[in-house]
Each structure stands twice: as structure tokens, then as C-alpha cells.
Amino acid sequence: MSSYRATQGLLAYSELPYEQQNSAWGLCMLGRICFEAGRYPEAAQAFGEAHRMAPYRVRDMDTYSTLLWHTKHEEALAQLAHKMVSVGRNTSPEAWIAVANCFSLDGDHASALKSLTRSIQMYKSSHCGTTSVPRNDAGGTGGLAYAHTLIGHENVALDELDRAQRAFRTAIRIDPRHYNAWYGLGVSYLRLGKPDLAEYHFKRALALNSQNPLLLQSSGAVHEYRKDYVQALRVYERVEQMLNDGAPARTPGSAACDALVTDSTVILSLRLHHAMNFVMFKRARMLVVLEKFGEASRVLEQLMRRCPREFN
């Protein structure tokens, strides 16, 4: 799982005994696998069931809180952060990452940065002040690099790009395989008007986590910046196809979030994924720029049916 290989991770999960699959530990493992592959609906199911089963578990709840941030579930995120702080105010770095995500979703990036700084202090104090990489029970890298990466993203939101890059580079020094930090550097370089450097870092992120179709959107943004709208459209069409492929998820033996693995291919439905709406909108925008108005109109009509309350 620490290699971001969803197919192998799901195969390994399906081979666990039934009791372990349906334990809080097993469900969190499944949630992380789906989350890192960009399969948020399945990840939400797994994490949600794990949290209901073990409401005082703090491990992996930092990832769950980030998932809730991505899916804009404000109430669920606020409840999770409150629970985590009540459990581990003085002992849990994960709790303060959840709090930071709660502040971030509310637009309070300064408070989010304070919470992330507290999380980093806890990580360092729990590892004797070193920057060695804490590892979780699945062998994956721990949250110290993750906290620095989130600091980078908060600084990007504040347009403090120099500080953001320092945070992302710190995360990469701690964990060179932390794809989110490579992606963050790509975002910051694109903001600085350096598409070549942005593309390089986006490719590094995708090389580390090639099974996440959402990372492909970044290359589309680079093509847009270069005004290569035809290539950007191709990228968004490919991402949409990857998100649209698949069937309803089911995993042998799992009561909460099943995954079907057939011929070494993960078949997970993302047709209702919130990211699909974003990709469809970007595709429609490229179609308008390319003056393919009829096709753009059809895509926008589909979007209106999918998300009628979306202001875009």
C-alpha cells in the first residue's frame, strides 16, 4: 500500500481473514488504499464504518479528515475533528491535522497553519525531536511529511508560494515518495508561471501514484497554461473515461466497502464521484474555447442534471 498500488493492495486486503477485513484496522487499510487511488466514495464508506466501529481510534483519521475536506462534508469533518481532539488533544498529531482540515474547509487558513504546526511538534516530540519517518502498522510512511505537505497547500491557498515550496521540499526530504508534496510543488510552479517545472513535478507525482486518475488533471492544467487546448481536452477526456469506467464496487467478505478485483484490474465505480463534475466542467470549457459549442452544450446539460446547485 505504501507503493500506491491499488490493485495489489486490494488483492492483499481480499486475502485477509474475514474478521480482519471487517475490523477497524482492516477498514482503515481499505480506506487508505481507495483514498490514494482517488476512489473517494469507496474510501468514505470504509473510513466511515471504521469510525463508527472504533470512534476513539485516532490512527488514520488524519487521512479520513482530508477525504472529508476533499468531498466538502463540513458537518462530518467538524464532528470528526471534535471527537479526535476530545480523545487526543495532547497526544495525537492526527487530531490536529483533522482540526486543520476543518479550519481549512472553513477558509481559515491561518488557524489551519497553527493546528498543523502543533501536529508537527507532536510528531517530533514523539520521535525524540528527529525528522525520521514514522511508519504506520501497514509499513507506510507516517504523518510528519503529510503535515508539512498540508502546510504547503495552506500556503498555496494564501498565495505564499515561497513558504509553500519550502514546506513541500521539507516533506520530500522526509519522505521522497510522498507524491502529494511533488504535486504541491507542481501547483506552486504553475502559479509562478513556470509550466516546465510544474510539468516535471506533476510527472514525478504521477510516477509515484500512477493509479490515481485525478493526478492526470494536473497535466491538463499545464496544457491549458500553454494554450494547447486540444491536448488539454484530450487529457480531460482521458480522466473522465478513467473515472467513468467500472462497475459498482463489491469486495468478497467485506460488509462495509467491497471491491471487485478481476484479472488484476480494480473495478470501482466513480461515475458519481464529485471530481467527475469538475473534470466535465473543464472539458466543457475547453470545448467552448475550441468553438465546439454543440458538444460543450451537451456536457453542460449533463452537469446541470448531475449538480443543479453548483454555481459554475
Side-chain angles (χ1 to χ4, degrees):
M1 185 179 66
S2 59
S3 298
Y4 307 116
R5 299 183 184 276
T7 302
Q8 291 88 332
L10 285 171
L11 282 169
Y13 173 81
S14 67
E15 292 172 358
L16 291 173
Y18 177 85
E19 292 76 12
Q20 291 187 23
Q21 285 189 28
N22 290 281
S23 66
W25 170 84
L27 289 167
C28 283
M29 176 181 288
L30 179 60
R32 291 200 306 269
I33 292 169
C34 293
F35 175 81
E36 299 296 359
R39 292 166 166 85
Y40 294 166
E42 291 81 2
Q45 275 188 287
F47 278 128
E49 182 62 24
H51 184 56
R52 285 188 291 272
M53 185 179 297
Y56 298 103
R57 177 187 173 92
V58 296
R59 187 182 291 274
D60 303 312
M61 292 299 103
D62 50 348
T63 304
Y64 184 29
S65 72
T66 300
L67 169 65
L68 294 173
W69 183 94
H70 279 294
T71 54
K72 312 303 180 190
H73 288 160
E74 295 184 33
E75 184 177 353
L77 178 53
Q79 291 174 351
L80 177 67
H82 179 75
K83 172 64 74 174
M84 293 302 98
V85 170
S86 69
V87 173
R89 176 185 296 272
N90 298 315
T91 58
S92 170
E94 295 91 345
W96 290 101
I97 288 179
V99 171
N101 279 324
C102 194
F103 280 128
S104 178
L105 187 56
D106 197 41
D108 188 351
H109 301 293
S111 295
L113 285 169
K114 290 178 182 178
S115 298
L116 289 168
T117 299
R118 184 163 185 178
S119 175
I120 288 172
Q121 291 170 345
M122 286 188 174
Y123 274 118
K124 289 184 176 180
S125 63
S126 65
H127 290 80
C128 303
T130 70
T131 56
S132 61
V133 184
R135 294 189 174 269
N136 58 34
D137 47 11
T141 52
L144 182 58
Y146 190 46
H148 281 288
T149 298
L150 292 181
I151 282 182
H153 286 302
E154 292 304 312
N155 278 301
V156 168
L158 292 169
D159 209 30
E160 295 282 354
L161 299 181
D162 287 341
R163 292 181 180 178
Q165 289 190 342
R166 285 198 296 270
F168 291 135
R169 291 192 181 103
T170 299
I172 290 170
R173 282 197 298 271
I174 295 169
D175 180 8
R177 294 190 55 80
H178 199 69
Y179 74 89
N180 208 327
W182 289 101
Y183 169 80
L185 277 173
V187 170
S188 64
Y189 277 120
L190 196 59
R191 288 275 194 97
L192 290 168
K194 299 179 179 181
D196 291 342
L197 285 170
E199 184 176 36
Y200 167 79
H201 288 89
F202 286 147
K203 285 182 177 179
R204 289 294 299 266
L206 193 59
L208 289 168
N209 189 359
S210 61
Q211 295 190 1
N212 188 333
L214 305 181
L215 288 179
L216 285 176
Q217 293 184 53
S218 56
S219 62
V222 172
H223 291 307
E224 279 194 61
Y225 186 90
R226 291 171 172 162
K227 301 187 185 306
D228 186 354
Y229 301 121
V230 172
Q231 190 60 34
L233 177 61
R234 290 173 182 165
V235 170
Y236 297 139
E237 287 175 341
R238 181 183 173 193
V239 174
E240 187 175 336
Q241 184 61 49
M242 291 176 71
L243 288 170
N244 202 36
D245 284 345
R250 51 179 302 277
T251 296
S254 172
C257 179
D258 292 346
L260 177 63
V261 181
T262 305
D263 296 330
S264 300
T265 301
V266 182
I267 305 175
L268 290 169
S269 176
L270 290 176
R271 293 191 185 95
L272 300 180
H273 194 303
H274 75 102
M276 175 68 86
N277 301 335
F278 183 64
V279 175
M280 290 176 68
F281 175 76
K282 292 176 83 72
R283 181 162 72 93
R285 189 173 64 184
M286 292 300 96
L287 290 168
V288 170
V289 171
L290 295 170
E291 299 184 355
K292 297 183 178 182
F293 300 118
E295 191 174 349
S297 178
R298 289 190 291 274
V299 175
L300 290 171
E301 287 173 358
Q302 293 177 39
L303 272 173
M304 288 184 65
R305 290 192 294 270
R306 289 173 60 94
C307 48
R309 296 183 180 180
E310 175 60 49
F311 69 90
N312 281 328

